[in-house]
Amino acid sequence: MVEIGQYDFKGQPKYKTRKVIAEGEILSTMPTSVYRVDWVPSGTSCLYESTMLEGSYRTDIEYDALGRPVSIELPMDVKKVFHETWVF
């Protein structure tokens, strides 16, 4: 699940937070069926919240005057791979 935390005046995201579903939850349904997330709220919280891993991954993005990303700060445990034509 991705949540966009804040937008700049042009509508581009300043940061986004990603939460992932626990691997055991997905593997528990395989190979007999396809895993489906229940997004329907149950009381005060959605049922999917119990299936998410604790913590989240935040990505911060800064843009230049033309709206191009000039700085992307990835979460600590993400391997950084850039294409040779990208200039940061």
Side-chain angles (χ1 to χ4, degrees), residues 10 14 16 35 45 56 62 67 69 72:
K10 289 183 176 181
K14 287 181 145 184
K16 53 187 172 183
Y35 182 77
S45 64
S56 58
E62 294 179 12
I72 300 175

Side-chain angles (χ1 to χ4, degrees), residues 12-35:
Q12 296 172 313
K14 287 181 145 184
Y15 71 89
K16 53 187 172 183
T17 306
R18 182 178 306 268
K19 293 183 180 181
V20 294
I21 297 173
E23 185 177 300
E25 180 72 23
I26 296 171
L27 295 176
S28 68
T29 61
M30 296 200 160
T32 59
S33 64
V34 176
Y35 182 77

